[in-house]
């Protein structure tokens, strides 16, 4: 029963973190003409995903899972973005009380020129905290979570550049190096 619970939590938590992509309309990115880079703030990304939560799901017609309170953080030293989400797993028939956990995931970024999108790259579960599960189950949850993160979050589009954002004065530009800073993601723009 605990193995099924762990599988349910890992798959649901990670598969549902696939939130609606941030479009150029949803977040007014800033272009700095002096440094030739676009900036998408942490607040813009947080504002874009916040309406997706809380999210209630059912897994295997057995477990009710509620994901809530997504919190984004930036990891400049690793050039990654971090997402922390609260998870609650319930089943009145199998569990005396709901199981609560906090999942911490991180991901790098990459640019896909064919779709003009900023995408997640190399997502993984960094940490699982639960006072409701013994530590040995947290390790299994992390392993299953990494498999689910790779399957569901790899290459997920977070931001789509409009064509006019990549053209100026008759020249065409393309995003290059992506840098995660303390409060933003910066994308270098290079002439093609």
């Amino acid at each position: 029963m605990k193995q099924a619970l762990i599988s349910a939590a890992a798959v649901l938590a990670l598969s549902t973190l696939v939130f609606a992509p941030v479009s150029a309309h949803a977040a007014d990115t800033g272009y700095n003409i002096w440094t030739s880079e676009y900036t998408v703030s942490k607040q813009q990304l947080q504002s874009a995903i916040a309406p997706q939560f809380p999210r209630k799901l059912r897994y295997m017609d057995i477990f009710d899972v509620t994901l809530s309170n997504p919190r984004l953080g930036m990891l400049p030293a690793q050039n990654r973005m971090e997402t922390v989400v609260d998870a609650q797993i319930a089943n009145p028939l199998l569990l005396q009380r709901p199981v609560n956990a906090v999942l911490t995931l991180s991901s790098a970024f990459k640019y896909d020129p064919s779709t003009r999108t900023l995408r997640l790259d190399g997502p993984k579960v960094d940490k699982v905290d639960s006072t409701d599960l013994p530590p040995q189950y947290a390790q299994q949850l992390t392993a299953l979570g990494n498999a689910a993160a790779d399957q569901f979050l790899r290459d997920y589009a977070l931001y789509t550049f409009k064509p006019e954002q990549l053209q100026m004065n008759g020249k065409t530009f393309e995003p290059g190096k992506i840098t995660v800073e303390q409060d933003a993601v910066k994308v270098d723009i290079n002439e093609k």
Side-chain angles (χ1 to χ4, degrees), residues 80-100:
R80 295 175 73 83
M81 179 181 75
E82 176 180 79
T83 305
V84 178
V85 65
D86 297 332
Q88 184 179 72
I89 302 104
N91 179 310
L93 299 175
L94 300 175
L95 302 170
Q96 292 179 355
R97 61 185 175 88
V99 172
N100 295 298

Side-chain angles (χ1 to χ4, degrees), residues 73-176:
M74 302 305 200
L75 305 170
Q78 294 89 21
N79 206 37
R80 295 175 73 83
M81 179 181 75
E82 176 180 79
T83 305
V84 178
V85 65
D86 297 332
Q88 184 179 72
I89 302 104
N91 179 310
L93 299 175
L94 300 175
L95 302 170
Q96 292 179 355
R97 61 185 175 88
V99 172
N100 295 298
V102 176
L103 303 175
T104 303
L105 304 97
S106 69
S107 181
F109 294 94
K110 68 180 179 181
Y111 177 70
D112 178 17
S114 65
T115 59
R116 296 182 324 275
T117 53
L118 183 62
R119 296 180 173 270
L120 295 178
D121 187 36
K124 66 176 184 161
V125 174
D126 294 322
K127 188 176 172 186
V128 176
D129 287 319
S130 177
T131 56
D132 297 338
L133 288 175
Q136 68 267 23
Y137 291 111
Q139 291 170 354
Q140 291 173 341
L141 183 60
T142 300
L144 289 170
N146 280 323
D150 187 62
Q151 180 181 354
F152 294 111
L153 298 178
R154 180 181 296 269
D155 296 328
Y156 188 77
L158 275 179
Y159 182 83
T160 301
F161 287 93
K162 294 188 290 188
E164 58 269 22
Q165 288 179 297
L166 300 175
Q167 295 176 353
M168 185 183 298
N169 297 329
K171 295 181 182 178
T172 303
F173 296 85
E174 184 169 271

